[in-house]
Amino acid sequence: MRVLALDYGAARTGVAVSDATGTIASPVGIVERAATSSGLAQLEAIVREQEIERVVVGLPLTLRGEVGEQARETLAFAEALQGVLSVPVEFHDERFTTTLATGVGGAADEDARAAAFLLESYLRRTAGA
């Protein structure tokens, strides 16, 4: 199963995809302003072209595991995304993915790497389920 992971941000959203077996995550790049109609159209095109069967959106819970302002914004984005996609949209805790991705490369690279870390975590969790 090919899975698309999104590390949502109002300005830039990191994108990563899994291989067909659902075991390897690879950063793809970013989508600027993903919550806009053009951003949602770009994501819909990626889902179609990559033959994605599931989309995972990182949910940035607070350190206490609560839904804060950023998580509410992410939930609204995911609702809009589900409105344009024909595949399921799920959430996965992404509290530390951006921290793990910080380092080599620019901000866009970090966003895509954060999405890949998110996807790797999701794939590990679902493999054990």
Side-chain angles (χ1 to χ4, degrees), residues 16-66:
V17 297
S18 75
D19 65 334
T21 66
T23 55
I24 300 171
S26 301
V28 171
I30 61 162
V31 172
E32 301 281 346
R33 296 183 197 19
T36 65
S37 58
S38 63
L40 291 168
Q42 282 183 279
L43 291 169
E44 192 275 330
I46 291 169
V47 166
R48 188 177 57 254
E49 291 163 6
Q50 296 283 332
E51 299 178 351
I52 299 298
E53 298 172 64
R54 180 174 314 276
V55 175
V56 177
V57 177
L59 188 60
L61 300 172
T62 67
L63 291 178
R64 292 180 175 200
E66 298 169 347

Side-chain angles (χ1 to χ4, degrees), residues 68-83:
E69 183 58 36
Q70 182 63 35
R72 281 190 287 280
E73 189 177 318
T74 301
L75 290 167
F77 160 72
E79 186 176 331
L81 181 63
Q82 185 64 77

